[in-house]
Amino acid sequence: MKQGTAKPLERFTVLDLTRVRSGPAAVRQFADWGARVIKIEDPGIRADDKPGGPTQVADYQNTHRNKQSIALNLKHPKGKALFLELVKQADVVVENYRPNVKHKLGIDYESLRQVNPRLVYASVSGFGQDGPYSLRPGLDQIAQGLSGMMSVTGEPGRGPMRAGIPVADLTAGLFCAIGILIALLEREQSGQGQWVHTSLLQAQLWMMDFQAMRWLMNKEVPAQSGNDHPTSSPTGVFPTRDGYMNIAAMGNDIFARLCKVLDRNDLISDERFLTVPLRAKFRADLNQAIAERTRLKTTEEWIDLMNEAGVPCGPILSMDQTFENPQVRHLGMASTLNHPKLGDIQIMGPAVNFSRSQRGELKPAPEHGEHTESVFAELGLSKEELAALRAEGVI
C-alpha cells in the first residue's frame, strides 16, 4: 500500500484568533491533521480562555491541543504590524469576534487581503456578519432557542429543553472548517483567497434538517416528542428489567422482526399498527405493549436477541460506560498524549479515518504565550528587540 504523509495539512499555516468553543472547534480540525496553528492571545490572559478547575483544564487540553501560542497586543500599532508580518506568510486566519470587532482592530478581510491576496479568512459569529441581529452577543443556547431546536427537544408539556451538548458551537466550527477547506481547494485554481463566514444560527438551523423541512414544505410546526422519534414508531426508549434501551424498528419488515423477538406476533396484524402512519398515530398504545415485554429481560439479553434478529437497538450508557464500550475502544476515540505537568492524559481523537494519511503525534495545549519568542525569532527579531517589545506591552 502506498504510504501517505503523516501530516496531510502540514503545508498550511493557520493564525488562530478564536476563543471559547465555536472558533476553536474549526481550528482543531487543522491542528489535528498537521497544519501549523499559531494561537494569538492578548498578553493578559482572558478569563474565558484561562483554565480554572479540573473541568476547564480538561476542556482546554482537548480544545487547543497541537497549537503554538504567542502573546500579541493587536491594539498596539507595533503589535498589529507584527501580526501583518505573520499574515504575509499565513494561509488562513480564523476569528470569532463579534462582527464589528475585527473592523475596529483593522484586521478584517479587506484589510488583510491587501497584505496577502491568497489569504483565506474565516469568521464564526452568533447570527451572521450583517443583518438585524449581527451585533448581538450570540452563544450556543441562544442559537438553540432561536433555531427552533429547543421547541422540539424534551418531553411534551415539560417546556423547552436545550441539548446536552453545545451543538450550535460545535457544528458552526465544523461548517467553518469545511468552508476553509473548500476555499483552499478553490485557491488552487484561482490563486486567490476569500472570506468564509458562518454563524451559530446558520449551523443550528441546518441541523434542524427534516424538522425544518416539515415546516418549509408542509407548513407543519414540529412539537416535542421526548425520546420517541417525531414521525416513526416504534422508535424510542423502552424499560428493561435492569434499566432502559433504545429500539428503532422503522418500516414494516423491521417492525415484524421486533414483534417476533418480543413474542407478540399479534401486533403485526393489529389494525392500529398496520402501517407507519398508523403506528405513529397509536404510538402510546404500541409503546405500552412493547414495554410490557421489554421489562421481562435485561438490556443485554434483549440486545443479543434483537441484534440476532436484525432489529436496531442499543444500550443507553453514561459517559464512563461509553468509553468502556468495546466498539468505542476499538475506534480509538480516546487518545493519549503526554503533558509536561499532567503526565499522560486522554483527550478526544478525531472522528474521521483515512486509508493512508495519519494525524501524527498529539501535542498538549500550549501555555499562554509559550512560543512567542520562537515564532517572532523566525521573523528575524533579536532577543533585545523582543525584550523591548515585551517592556512596551506589545508581546
Side-chain angles (χ1 to χ4, degrees):
M1 181 178 290
K2 191 174 181 180
Q3 186 65 33
T5 176
K7 297 180 180 180
L9 298 182
E10 64 184 349
R11 65 187 183 278
F12 297 115
T13 295
V14 178
L15 302 182
D16 178 13
L17 296 170
T18 69
R19 56 196 181 99
V20 190
R21 190 166 308 280
S22 61
V27 175
R28 192 196 316 175
Q29 311 310 310
F30 294 86
D32 278 351
W33 296 101
R36 184 187 188 188
V37 175
I38 302 174
K39 178 175 169 58
I40 299 171
E41 308 185 77
D42 286 341
I45 303 176
R46 293 189 183 99
D48 54 11
D49 268 348
K50 181 180 180 181
T55 299
Q56 287 75 25
V57 170
D59 190 36
Y60 188 81
Q61 287 301 318
N62 191 55
T63 301
H64 297 292
R65 76 274 189 102
N66 295 336
K67 298 180 182 180
Q68 295 178 305
S69 169
I70 64 171
L72 184 64
N73 185 356
L74 296 177
K75 297 178 181 179
H76 195 290
K78 291 183 180 180
K80 181 179 175 181
L82 287 173
F83 177 69
L84 295 180
E85 289 301 313
L86 292 173
V87 168
K88 290 178 182 178
Q89 302 177 23
D91 297 283
V92 180
V93 169
V94 189
E95 61 87 18
N96 63 339
Y97 301 125
R98 285 197 211 179
N100 60 336
V101 172
K102 55 184 165 287
H103 296 283
K104 291 179 179 179
L105 292 173
I107 57 170
D108 55 281
Y109 172 64
E110 288 300 324
S111 298
L112 298 191
R113 72 189 292 260
Q114 306 303 319
V115 176
N116 181 356
R118 289 176 54 81
L119 183 72
V120 173
Y121 189 105
S123 301
V124 184
S125 63
F127 306 108
Q129 294 298 310
D130 47 35
Y133 290 6
S134 61
L135 297 183
R136 292 185 180 184
L139 297 175
D140 178 89
Q141 188 158 337
I142 309 304
Q144 287 193 35
L146 190 57
S147 69
M149 168 100 173
M150 292 176 66
S151 74
V152 301
T153 303
E155 297 177 344
R158 295 286 296 274
M161 180 69 64
R162 68 181 291 275
I165 60 170
V167 61
D169 276 338
L170 294 173
T171 52
L174 290 175
F175 282 122
C176 181
I178 292 169
I180 294 169
L181 290 170
I182 292 171
L184 289 171
L185 286 171
E186 193 278 339
R187 190 179 73 172
E188 294 179 358
Q189 294 180 309
S190 68
Q192 298 293 308
Q194 57 184 307
W195 186 19
V196 176
H197 48 93
T198 188
S199 66
L200 274 63
L201 181 57
Q202 286 171 280
Q204 186 62 77
L205 278 166
W206 192 94
M207 291 293 289
M208 293 304 292
D209 198 56
F210 81 98
Q211 296 281 44
M213 289 306 299
R214 291 170 68 184
W215 165 253
L216 291 174
M217 289 288 290
N218 305 325
K219 301 309 175 191
E220 176 186 358
V221 179
Q224 293 168 303
S225 56
N227 286 320
D228 292 319
H229 189 279
T231 59
S232 178
S233 180
T235 297
V237 174
F238 295 89
T240 65
R241 185 190 296 172
D242 60 350
Y244 295 90
M245 67 180 296
N246 278 314
I247 300 174
M250 297 182 175
N252 291 337
D253 290 343
I254 298 178
F255 176 61
R257 293 178 210 161
L258 172 65
C259 294
K260 291 175 182 178
V261 171
L262 297 174
D263 195 21
R264 286 296 308 267
N265 287 336
D266 59 299
L267 297 177
I268 300 173
S269 56
D270 191 308
E271 292 185 356
R272 295 171 296 172
F273 311 138
L274 290 176
T275 66
V276 172
L278 283 171
R279 290 195 289 275
K281 180 179 179 180
F282 295 101
R283 181 196 307 272
D285 294 341
L286 181 55
N287 283 355
Q288 182 179 348
I290 294 172
E292 289 174 356
R293 302 298 297 176
T294 56
R295 286 192 179 97
L296 301 179
K297 298 181 186 293
T298 66
T299 300
E300 185 174 356
E301 288 172 328
W302 281 125
I303 287 174
D304 288 342
L305 289 169
M306 291 185 191
N307 277 320
E308 185 177 350
V311 178
C313 64
I316 300 172
L317 305 179
S318 59
M319 206 75 265
D320 56 331
Q321 294 169 330
T322 292
F323 281 99
E324 289 301 317
N325 179 271
Q327 185 63 29
V328 174
R329 292 174 69 89
H330 172 77
L331 292 172
M333 289 301 293
S335 299
T336 300
L337 64 79
N338 183 264
H339 189 279
K341 296 180 181 178
L342 303 174
D344 286 342
I345 61 173
Q346 287 194 314
I347 61 173
M348 288 294 296
V352 62
N353 302 312
F354 296 92
S355 62
R356 292 185 294 106
S357 297
Q358 301 177 23
R359 66 169 185 246
E361 181 184 1
L362 288 172
K363 297 180 180 179
E367 296 290 331
H368 179 264
E370 179 180 341
H371 304 92
T372 301
E373 293 191 5
S374 61
V375 168
F376 286 126
E378 293 177 20
L379 294 180
L381 275 69
S382 66
K383 290 184 177 180
E384 291 75 19
E385 289 173 312
L386 290 170
L389 291 170
R390 195 179 299 278
E392 292 183 69
V394 177
I395 61 175

